[in-house]
Amino acid sequence: MSQHHDSTPDISVVVIVYNDAERLPTAVQSVLDQTLHNVEVIVADDHSTDGSFDVAQRLAAASDRVRAIQLPENSGGCGEPRNQGIKVARGRYVMFLDSDDTLEPNACRNMLEAAERTGADLVSGLCVRVHIDSRTGKTQKWYHWLYKETRTFDSVAEIPDLMVFDTLSTNKCYRREFLLENDLTFPRGIHYEDLLFSAQAYLAASKITLIPNTVYHWNVVEKAAEKSISNRRNEIRNFADRLEIHRRIDRILAAEGHDALKLHKDRKFLKHDLVLYLRDLPFLDDDYRHRFAEMARGYIADFPEEAYEELTPIHRLCAYLLLREDWEHLMPAIDTLTNKHKVSSPLVQKDGRIFWCEQHLDDPLGRAVLDVTDLGYHDRPVNRLNLRNAVTRYAENPAGVALAGALVNPLGVIQPDARLEGELEFRARRKSLQSFRFPVRVIRHEGESITWETVAPLAQKLRPVGIIDDVWDVRLHLKVDGETTISKLTVGQTDLEGAGEIRIRPRLGRMMADRIQPHATANGHLAFRLAQHGKLAQRTSALVQNNMHSAPAQAAKKVLRKAVAVRKDLNSGPTKIDTYHRMIKLLPVRKGTVVFESHLGKQYSDSPRAIYEEIKRRNIPVKAIWSYAGAKPTGFPKDVELVRRWSWPYLRALAQAEFWVDNQGFPLKLAKRPETTYIQTWHGSALKRMGFDEPFYRVMPEHEQQAYQKAIDRFDHFVVRGEHDEKTLARAYRLPEEKLLRTGYPRNDALVQARESATLDPAAEELAERLGIRRDKPVVLYAPTFRAKTGGGVRNFEFPFDVEEFAERFGDQFTLLIRTHYLNSVTLPPSVAGRVVNVSNEPDITPVLLLSDVMITDYSSVMFDYSLLQRPMVFFTYDWDDYVNNSRGTYFDLREQAPGPVVDTAEELFEALSDLGALAAGHEGRLKEFMTQYGEYDRGDAAARIVDRFFGNQGEAR
């Protein structure tokens, strides 16, 4: 990059200002402090009335790099001041800065270097939103995924997401000649000028460069008394301007034939732009709503169906109900849109499907859009439902605040005879502060709702500290036959504007805050905030607030922040890892202690369970500790000691254990002391390439490969099922011969024993009874593996066949069990109830396998285990080419060795299952060969052999 030393600046930064005299100097200084010095500042004042132009002139007088201009009259927006700045700019490049924001010190240098290096007309960098009124220093990177690395594009069509998401004009650097040649100016007299200007610039640019550097600090005040122009979404003109800008962009896209870009933009409008306004609708009057719906319908009614494809079901539902002005069902839908996991409608079950409401089902599009079966609302118990709780009455009286509400009861999940108890909780929003509860006097069924009412004596009982707990949220704790569901109180139809202020008694005294008043949160819930009444209280509060910024207060807050930081650091990953490694040096081994873990703590299952239960059956005196993941353990025995994964007790247990037993891997960065014996039972033989045979691991940097190998080297013993495991898993993980335990899998002992027994295993019998599975019909299990996304992660599970058609065709012949991989989940429609049963949440698959007479799978390692039962299998490999060619590959060709029919289509699958007798008889020889080849060490005594070797000679508890 060449530094210009003549009169031509490298970059002109246009700083626009209107009535912002106080913050303007900071913005200008952020330009003068740039590490690139050949930069000029043009302050464009939009005819301010507060002296901003006087400030601008003083800044110009103080530096020959600053110039100030003023518009003859206020333009009412950000566009015209920028246009005037472009006109007088002398720099080879132009950037824009708002008077309440700042540039990152290296912004101009990084932008210019990228522009000069790539020849780009437009360079865009990362913008960071800085929440300056946040106590925690909250920041947010603006669409950071666009800026992970430096990239240059010849056309915005190569990266549509850039045009539809990053519509800011301020985090960019433009070649000035490019702006002039293309007559690129901001529109006048209309809001959202950035959207149109950015779209025109993107489309005109012959080369666009993105850099991963932060260039712009967008200062945000969430609690501003007056909203910015673009945030006044309760003004109908605001929406009108947004639509007009989008229409202008649409005309440009149509004229230039950018149909694909238009589709991306339509999707973004539905997912983002429209949602911004929908969130406010519950708080606005009927006239506004009607005008808004008319305007929205005039724009989105012609969107193609493809625009709706990537929307969530709730997004689609809201758009549909808005177009039909169905306010009764749209308002609850908006509540769910705003509060993602909330169930806001009573729902309707019809024809075996779940619908949002009964209306519009005669319309084919409405029937499709209103079908919310896949959201799984019907499949959850009441304690796992976040229910809409609408306030129906708010009043203040001498006894307190009288509140009444209606809790939605989807599909009657709360039965009419259920025992109901309730409490209202008022909780300070800042964590770890106090809360108060008041009993709910009346709770009853009323139509499709659970209605409640009570009086909360806030004046007598609520005792805030004051200052530090100024906001209080309200939640209803409803007990339904002992199970609790917690809901926030939704307002919107409730008029809180005229609500009064309730006198309270803060612990710091009434001089600090003597009132509490209701308001609606950003998510539409009832909350209360402290307020001062009277001039003396307001002066006292102001004095205290001012003193909060005094030197002693700042010192006290510094100490407090340091204490909080220390606490946070103590619970950070690096600190825990470091402390753990100190533990293994300082703490003694606790003889007889065994830490068990299955699937990263997600289950009480698999071979670790089988070993634990064999130890327990023999009454061997060891101290068994099981790890669990998540907020609370589910499915674990009540008589075992449990530790939460990554907690301090977990780390201490691992540090002092004599044995580690798991089937997947304890945290990779935790070393194992020499005195601890690590028994790795693993969780399945391999069809897919594993470990260092995977392409991903082969291309890892050398230091990452070494770290991974070091974690694997912790294994003292690795369980294998046969020679296949030795040639695949053992080699893939570079395990020496002496570490292999040729015992077979302890989890498979039950399968081997079941093959040799004529009776159903007790665990399988209990499962059938608990789930209501008939034993007079065969049971077919569908157990697929997961599918990986192209860029990493796991795809959501989708049936590769029509499960309702499956149930209709075979429901009278057999019961189908669905067992997804533990990384997936599934929701079944009510239409298949009794014929198709979801067993994915069963912690242990072994009883499921024992209960099944036939199994359908694809590439899952469960095939090797199921072969031990010598029961028929069908291999549904509908995506074989994609799976083999685009994943990590396989060790053998399943189609050649599968011990059962391999089918590619749903119809072929149905045909294979049409005669289970013929299916069983046709592959007996192949099944036996497969079992012998892949499970030769599985003899039904693996758990006993492992316990004999490692725990059988233990004496009394040590």
Side-chain angles (χ1 to χ4, degrees), residues 424-435:
L424 271 188
E425 178 191 44
F426 287 71
R427 175 179 289 275
R429 185 168 295 175
R430 291 194 186 180
K431 293 181 180 179
S432 304
L433 294 178
Q434 54 189 341
S435 66

Side-chain angles (χ1 to χ4, degrees), residues 742-844:
R742 296 177 174 85
T743 60
Y745 284 166
R747 74 180 185 196
N748 288 342
D749 291 346
L751 302 180
V752 176
Q753 293 159 13
R755 185 183 71 224
E756 299 168 355
S757 172
T759 60
L760 185 64
D761 182 270
E765 194 75 69
E766 184 275 332
L767 177 66
E769 184 177 348
R770 175 161 49 84
L771 298 180
I773 297 171
R774 293 174 55 179
R775 294 298 301 132
D776 60 342
K777 293 196 301 184
V779 175
V780 176
L781 168 66
Y782 178 45
T785 190
F786 70 94
R787 301 299 192 272
K789 291 180 180 177
T790 304
V794 176
R795 290 188 215 164
N796 291 333
F797 173 78
E798 293 181 1
F799 277 105
F801 55 85
D802 187 328
V803 69
E804 291 180 287
E805 181 186 348
F806 192 106
E808 191 67 29
R809 187 162 175 173
F810 297 110
D812 293 334
Q813 300 176 41
F814 53 76
T815 302
L816 178 67
L817 306 184
I818 305 294
R819 173 77 177 196
T820 60
H821 189 276
Y822 71 88
L823 294 175
N824 287 135
S825 61
V826 65
T827 297
L828 297 175
S831 59
V832 303
R835 297 174 292 175
V836 184
V837 181
N838 182 15
V839 293
S840 301
N841 292 327
E842 293 298 315
D844 197 352

Side-chain angles (χ1 to χ4, degrees), residues 44 59 130 172 191 266 315 339 418 424 462 477 584 645 791 834 864 889:
L59 292 170
V130 181
K172 296 171 178 61
H191 303 323
D266 288 348
H315 275 97
N339 301 281
L424 271 188
L462 188 68
H477 292 248
I584 61 177
R645 206 168 192 264
F864 302 107

